[in-house]
Amino acid sequence: MFMTGMLSRNLQLRAKGFMLAEALFSLFVTILVLFILQNLLMSIKRANLDQNHHVNEVAYAYVQLNRFMRDKDTKLVYPVRDDANSSFTAFTKVDKNKKEKIYRITHYAKKHVLKVSNSETGGYMPLIFNIQKAEFKTTKDQIIIRVTEYDKGKSDLIFQLDEKPEERDADEKEKKQNKRKRAL
């Protein structure tokens, strides 16, 4: 009886020890699984950010140029149609003191960048990098830039500007003349 009591006691101790080792092993496996899941989620998040990075660059370029055109000292911004073609475009920025500056938007093929430059200062402001091709269209109150990026697709940047004051006055004068003709 004494022997059977000791034997059952030894079995109980071994069983408790086995349960402790089992618990440690399951804790280790749980930590390993959580670590793998965390790395997997971080990889998915990083891949998603890389995929949306293109859209963010184009949107940022649009916002950057639009803010530059419409800063607090600007009174009027209109496209320069005489100095525009499919390779570049230009716009005039008139400040509160009626001082005019002409800026050109071009695709600088050597460095694969879309840039805004001023001939007076000689410097330039880069808008978007890694540009394969850029096409420009200029109307009396819009600048449309179609950008083709390497491996990213095409995007259109459309800037709504003011009409050139002379053109706006001529349009208004023509409308008045048409009203008079209709009235007669």
Side-chain angles (χ1 to χ4, degrees):
M1 182 143 140
F2 178 71
M3 188 67 125
T4 55
M6 250 172 111
L7 190 58
S8 69
R9 197 170 186 200
N10 276 342
L11 286 174
Q12 285 179 350
L13 287 176
R14 281 189 190 159
K16 284 183 183 176
F18 180 73
M19 289 172 48
L20 179 62
E22 189 179 50
L24 286 174
F25 180 74
S26 64
L27 185 63
F28 174 74
V29 169
T30 304
I31 290 172
L32 184 65
V33 168
L34 288 175
F35 181 72
I36 291 170
L37 281 176
Q38 179 185 13
N39 285 336
L40 181 64
L41 288 175
M42 291 299 283
S43 296
I44 291 171
K45 184 177 179 183
R46 214 174 298 121
N48 190 26
L49 286 176
D50 289 344
Q51 188 177 22
N52 291 332
H53 189 64
H54 157 71
V55 175
N56 293 341
E57 282 181 3
V58 173
Y60 181 73
Y62 177 83
V63 169
Q64 183 182 12
L65 183 56
N66 202 41
R67 282 186 180 168
F68 174 73
M69 289 177 172
R70 304 286 184 181
D71 64 5
K72 64 181 180 177
D73 294 332
T74 303
K75 179 180 178 184
L76 190 67
V77 178
Y78 57 89
V80 180
R81 292 184 358 192
D82 332 350
D83 191 25
N85 60 33
S86 63
S87 302
F88 61 87
T89 189
F91 64 91
T92 301
K93 188 174 166 182
V94 182
D95 65 9
K96 304 273 185 200
N97 300 326
K98 297 185 181 179
K99 185 178 177 188
E100 295 183 356
K101 286 187 180 179
I102 298 175
Y103 295 91
R104 287 180 86 178
I105 304 173
T106 57
H107 171 231
Y108 187 42
K110 259 186 176 177
K111 296 199 177 194
H112 310 289
V113 66
L114 185 68
K115 68 176 187 170
V116 178
S117 59
N118 180 316
S119 59
E120 294 174 15
T121 60
Y124 71 90
M125 173 177 64
L127 289 177
I128 307 174
F129 294 97
N130 297 321
I131 300 295
Q132 183 178 14
K133 184 171 91 171
E135 298 170 5
F136 302 88
K137 182 179 177 188
T138 307
T139 65
K140 66 181 181 179
D141 63 348
Q142 275 187 341
I143 292 177
I144 302 168
I145 306 168
R146 173 157 285 184
V147 175
T148 305
E149 295 180 273
Y150 291 103
D151 303 330
K152 300 291 183 176
K154 294 182 180 182
S155 303
D156 288 342
L157 301 170
I158 302 172
F159 297 94
Q160 187 67 41
L161 305 177
D162 305 310
E163 284 186 51
K164 190 173 182 178
E166 296 85 29
E167 289 179 9
R168 186 180 58 224
D169 294 343
D171 287 347
E172 287 176 11
K173 192 175 184 179
E174 186 178 321
K175 285 178 186 177
K176 286 180 184 177
Q177 287 176 352
N178 288 340
K179 274 186 180 179
R180 284 185 203 147
K181 287 179 184 177
R182 284 186 218 143
L184 296 175

